Amino acid sequence: MDRILIRGGVPLSGTITIGGAKNAALPLMAASLLSGEPLTLRNLPDLADVRTMAQLLMQHGVAIEAAGGQGALALSARRIASTTAPYDLVRKMRASVLVLGPLIARCGRARVSLPGGCAIGTRPVDLHIAGLQRLGATVELNGGYIEAHARNGLKGAEIVFPSVSVGATENLLMAATLAAGETRLINAAREPEITDLAHCLNAMGAEISGIGSDRLTIRGVAALHGASHSVIPDRIETGTYMMAAAATGGELRLHGGRLDHVDAVRRALDAAGVCVSEAADGITVSRRNGRLAGIDLMTEPYPGFPTDLQAQVMALMTVAEGASMITETIFENRFMHVPELARMGANITVHGASALVRGVPRLMGAPVMATDLRASVSLVLAGLVAVGETVVNRVYHLDRGYERIEAKLSACGARIERLRD
Ligand code: EPZ
């Protein structure tokens, strides 16, 4: 298994180009199942999760070919060969469950493996299932699979989410595009990735209004057609590199990053003593003079501070002056990075959903173990500021969501390399 070796202590300086958003790309690719005509997606990131989604779609019968230009694919679901999403692929990537809504809407049936728990929490899919039942589907659980049927098609309905779910909003948004009549999604998630999906679906002929708000109205249509769509830049990659600049005390220009998508991050970093400004082609980030200041924050659905940047901001706060209280409200087990950061000298105490971080003057390099995607990258950030050598093991987690991370960071002066086994 590959590892990443980092020799810390170098302030980063230079430009990093932000790639297409993984969490926008995955639902957009699943949306190709809704139409018999090709969906061309541009600015797709070159990531393990994107390849897994392509593999899943191909076994459903989607033809996928390069569409000219980097990161451009044409996905054509002229004929659906199978409505089953097998355990082996769903287990590998939970976002596979996003084929459920499109398959049942297009074919009237779907059989999708239940994903099971993962490193950051139990992550049930009850909201996806309850929403499909509201749209008239019958759903049974059989042998570890969700078996959904809508023999006479789905019917529009009002769905009030009891809590905010990105994936359930995406699945039901896609399903409702082909349902008869009007669907209203109330208390919908409003992450930029959902807005991106809604815009793409409208380009395919869907009739969605309320885009960007927590109330989406979808007027069902008989069929969707082909379209061409460019994936938004990855706000979590953007936020991660914002923290890399802040942590190392350098200055980074994040080419293509969208400041409007990371406003909560900008506010948190501003309070910690980091300058974040809009540049002509992206965002510029640098630390003000002196040490970072500790800050308190809580993760929340968008537009709040993203859970996908909680581990990274915690790595930053380990070397801030004073204490920080970081509260995770989205996932119940997303502090797996804490014991690893502690191995590098961080002073962190976890009480339930909150972590009290008491800043230390410096971290020390150490061998550490990645447990999930965002935990892994927080260890890379910690390695960039630590004195001495850090080796991050189980790098395959990083490869799921960060494109060419060693190349991007080393181009800005970081001493980082991949050790291949
Ligand atoms: C998406 O996951 C992202 N994944 C996650 O990114 C991200 O952390 C999460 O949204 C929150 O922002 C993709 O977009 C592919 P949720 P998702 O449904 O859709 C509970 C990363 O690192 N819940 O919004 O699975 C759930 O357990 C990943 O890139 C239910 O209880 O997240 C969680 O506590 C990790 N029942 C909360 O809601 C349900 O049916 C929010 O989950 C669905 C969710």
Side-chain angles (χ1 to χ4, degrees):
M1 257 180 266
D2 289 0
R3 291 166 296 153
I4 292 225
L5 168 68
I6 304 158
R7 294 186 183 88
V10 184
L12 299 183
S13 159
T15 300
I16 290 180
T17 297
I18 302 302
K22 167 181 83 80
N23 289 347
L26 300 174
L28 285 166
M29 291 173 78
S32 67
L33 290 166
L34 287 164
S35 170
E37 295 179 15
L39 172 64
T40 300
L41 295 175
R42 287 171 279 115
N43 199 33
L44 284 166
D46 181 15
L47 293 171
D49 276 10
V50 168
R51 289 188 286 276
T52 304
M53 182 57 94
Q55 214 183 330
L56 176 64
L57 293 175
M58 285 191 291
Q59 71 84 46
H60 288 307
V62 180
I64 303 184
E65 53 189 51
Q70 217 188 339
L73 292 178
L75 299 96
S76 178
R78 203 151 59 87
R79 201 181 64 83
I80 305 288
S82 159
T83 52
T84 296
Y87 178 56
D88 273 357
L89 286 171
V90 180
R91 185 173 50 99
K92 214 162 141 190
M93 187 186 69
R94 295 183 54 88
S96 306
V97 82
L98 293 172
V99 300
L100 179 61
L103 284 175
I104 188 161
R106 171 103 180 265
C107 308
R109 61 177 193 281
R111 192 169 167 268
V112 176
S113 171
L114 274 167
C118 74
I120 60 176
T122 50
R123 301 183 76 183
V125 286
D126 55 317
L127 301 175
H128 303 236
I129 294 173
L132 286 178
Q133 287 170 327
R134 290 278 303 158
L135 295 181
T138 56
V139 183
E140 283 170 34
L141 299 182
N142 207 342
Y145 278 75
I146 305 164
E147 293 185 346
H149 288 95
R151 284 194 180 82
N152 301 316
L154 297 172
K155 301 213 169 29
E158 181 169 284
I159 297 170
V160 183
F161 292 107
S163 59
V164 178
S165 162
V166 173
T169 302
E170 290 167 343
N171 241 335
L172 294 164
L173 179 62
M174 290 190 278
T177 58
L178 296 181
E182 191 174 279
T183 299
R184 278 157 45 85
L185 302 180
I186 315 283
N187 197 26
R190 46 194 166 133
E191 271 64 7
E193 293 75 20
I194 290 168
T195 297
D196 201 32
L197 174 64
H199 285 311
C200 176
L201 292 169
N202 275 356
M204 295 169 77
E207 293 187 15
I208 304 168
S209 58
I211 298 175
S213 80
D214 61 357
R215 283 170 179 254
L216 295 167
T217 303
I218 305 109
R219 195 125 51 81
V221 295
L224 295 184
H225 51 69
S228 176
H229 180 84
S230 184
V231 180
I232 53 168
D234 196 314
R235 67 193 165 97
I236 305 301
E237 188 191 27
T238 304
T240 301
Y241 291 127
M242 288 167 81
M243 301 207 197
T248 62
E251 175 165 321
L252 288 181
R253 231 171 42 132
L254 305 176
H255 177 75
R258 279 187 57 172
L259 195 53
D260 58 328
H261 287 173
V262 288
D263 196 50
V265 183
R266 181 194 60 74
R267 277 184 276 117
L269 290 182
D270 181 58
V274 181
C275 297
V276 178
S277 57
E278 189 142 30
D281 59 350
I283 303 173
T284 304
V285 188
S286 61
R287 196 201 290 173
R288 288 191 209 112
N289 292 335
R291 249 176 100 184
L292 294 162
I295 51 166
D296 293 348
L297 63 83
M298 186 183 274
T299 62
E300 284 170 316
Y302 191 83
F305 191 94
T307 174
D308 288 347
L309 286 169
Q310 179 260 110
Q312 298 90 316
V313 79
M314 192 179 298
L316 189 64
M317 289 299 110
T318 61
V319 288
E321 187 136 27
S324 311
M325 180 73 86
I326 298 179
T327 304
E328 170 60 54
T329 72
I330 311 289
F331 292 110
E332 69 272 20
N333 190 25
R334 215 173 193 182
F335 285 143
M336 304 282 277
H337 41 285
V338 169
E340 301 302 309
L341 290 170
R343 301 195 67 252
M344 300 176 71
N347 181 345
I348 307 171
T349 314
V350 174
H351 296 280
S354 295
L356 174 64
V357 186
R358 292 187 176 90
V360 293
R362 69 189 61 80
L363 296 179
M364 291 158 303
V368 285
M369 189 75 84
T371 48
D372 75 74
L373 169 58
R374 310 303 172 186
S376 320
V377 84
S378 78
L379 300 175
V380 171
L381 294 182
L384 291 173
V385 285
V387 176
E389 279 189 12
T390 296
V391 175
V392 183
N393 292 288
R394 295 198 185 159
V395 165
Y396 59 87
H397 289 295
L398 264 185
D399 295 335
R400 294 186 56 181
Y402 289 91
E403 205 176 6
R404 299 187 308 106
I405 187 166
E406 323 87 271
K408 288 187 181 187
L409 287 171
S410 57
C412 296
R415 291 176 297 183
I416 178 169
E417 62 182 293
R418 182 177 290 248
L419 307 175
R420 294 189 191 273
D421 284 344

